[in-house]
Amino acid sequence: MREQTSVIVDRGRYRDAVTPWEEATWRDAALEWVDGRLAERGLRAAGELRVRLRPWSVLVRVPVEGRDAVWFKANPPDSAFEGPLTVALARWAPRYALEPLAVDPGRAWTLLPDGGELLRTALDDGRAGPRVWEDLLRRYAGLQHTLVPYAGRIELLGVPSARTRALPDLFDRVLAESSALRPDDRRRLDGLRPRLVAWCEELAAAGVPDSLDHADLHEGQLFQPEPGRFTFFDWGDAVVSHPFCSLLVPARSARDRHGPEVLPRLRDAYLEPWTGAGRSRAELTRAVTLAWRLAALARACSWGRVFPSVSGGGTPGGAESASWLLELFHEPPL
């Protein structure tokens, strides 16, 4: 397949980013691994490879004779947990996650089936509107609720811990490692720390236990295989943290598409599975507001999960990480 197959490479806006794909020995080994895993299932790759290269992943669409294409993904070391986590999610919550065809944890390689149509496609062509966000957030919150007992086991898979009470320590680390902040912004963030500690203490006191936070749940990270059903994927930014931190990214995506008036309905839909247990709606609403702001910490941290060859100063991610830290100053729109 290697000699005859054409390859189309998409680098997006990261034209100068270096990934393992540039190394012929790595590339050959990866594609041979894909061939071997397909052969074990009586399948054969055939057709043009479409390769998506980013500082944080190598993604290859591999056409397969007689069936849907499969997807090869390679993660950098700091998100090598994604394959094992996806395996675990397929076992713990099979309706909400793709079951990998194969995983090589040591090399951070995963082979996944096609998940169907992206939610983004249905939104772009008008077949889905604002209400679909309410449905998906209810279901995603239900998934997080299901995963609460597994939080410790998820951390053992290598998923970073960003527990609610430990977020000040994460703030200190990300701030110290940031080389893209201006001196005045660094001073402002230093001065914000006492307030951040108070926010974390208040959020923890609300009594909602930590769970899995996807941390980047936008419409391009969701399949909608059928009406009312969603499959969540691309867990490379995930952390174990306060579950409400997850609301930031999808709510902002929905706001950008449909306007700010959708936000209260999305918040209420997300909170439905968390009601009860002696928590009032006012307490939950306050917790969402706190978590919205604190979610910036996981986003700032995730920009450091790039391939080692691009992890030096001035590389992709530094400016984005600094920008997310500055989001801590913004009042949540809820």
Side-chain angles (χ1 to χ4, degrees), residues 104-262:
D104 185 329
R107 292 187 285 191
W109 292 351
T110 307
L111 190 64
L112 291 160
D114 190 274
E117 183 179 78
L118 288 175
L119 178 60
R120 175 182 288 155
T121 303
L123 289 165
D124 285 348
D125 65 20
R127 287 180 291 115
R131 290 297 180 91
V132 75
W133 296 91
E134 297 176 37
D135 193 14
L136 77 86
L137 284 170
R138 286 189 194 93
R139 295 176 189 275
Y140 173 70
L143 169 63
Q144 289 182 296
H145 202 280
T146 297
L147 293 175
V148 165
Y150 298 99
R153 294 169 68 179
I154 292 171
E155 288 171 322
L156 291 176
L157 294 173
V159 177
S161 179
R163 298 275 186 164
T164 306
R165 293 190 183 278
L167 286 175
D169 295 332
L170 179 63
F171 169 80
D172 292 341
R173 177 169 65 82
V174 178
L175 183 59
E177 293 174 352
S178 177
S179 60
L181 283 167
R182 298 182 306 176
D184 58 332
D185 287 331
R186 188 177 296 276
R187 286 192 294 271
R188 291 173 63 215
L189 286 164
D190 282 334
L192 183 69
R193 192 182 192 281
R195 292 179 63 197
L196 185 140
V197 171
W199 295 333
C200 294
E201 291 175 352
E202 183 181 357
L203 183 58
V208 177
D210 292 330
S211 185
L212 183 64
D213 172 11
H214 184 286
D216 194 25
L217 190 63
H218 56 73
E219 61 267 45
Q221 316 277 42
L222 286 158
F223 294 118
Q224 190 179 20
E226 59 188 54
R229 183 182 171 195
F230 303 93
T231 303
F232 307 99
F233 71 99
D234 202 347
W235 296 92
D237 290 334
V239 293
V240 173
S241 190
H242 197 285
F244 292 6
C245 291
S246 286
L247 184 60
L248 171 68
V249 172
R252 284 172 57 146
S253 294
R255 180 190 62 187
D256 291 346
R257 281 184 176 269
H258 310 293
E261 62 274 10
V262 303

Side-chain angles (χ1 to χ4, degrees), residues 52-67:
R52 182 179 182 272
L53 302 180
R54 299 294 186 267
W56 54 85
S57 68
V58 172
L59 187 66
V60 184
R61 182 184 185 276
V62 183
V64 177
E65 286 185 349
R67 56 161 287 167

Side-chain angles (χ1 to χ4, degrees), residues 287-303:
V288 162
T289 302
L290 292 166
W292 179 291
R293 193 192 296 258
L294 292 168
L297 290 173
R299 298 298 302 133
C301 191
S302 69
W303 277 99

Side-chain angles (χ1 to χ4, degrees), residues 7 15 38 73 83 91 102 153 197 211 213 225 258 270-271 280 282 300 309:
V7 179
R15 310 299 300 176
L38 290 175
K73 184 173 185 179
R91 182 170 67 251
R153 294 169 68 179
V197 171
S211 185
D213 172 11
H258 310 293
Y270 176 77
L271 287 176
S280 69
S309 56

Side-chain angles (χ1 to χ4, degrees), residues 8 14 26 103 130 151 172 176 182-183 204 208 301 324:
I8 293 179
Y14 300 95
W26 184 95
V103 172
D172 292 341
R182 298 182 306 176
V208 177
C301 191
W324 275 108

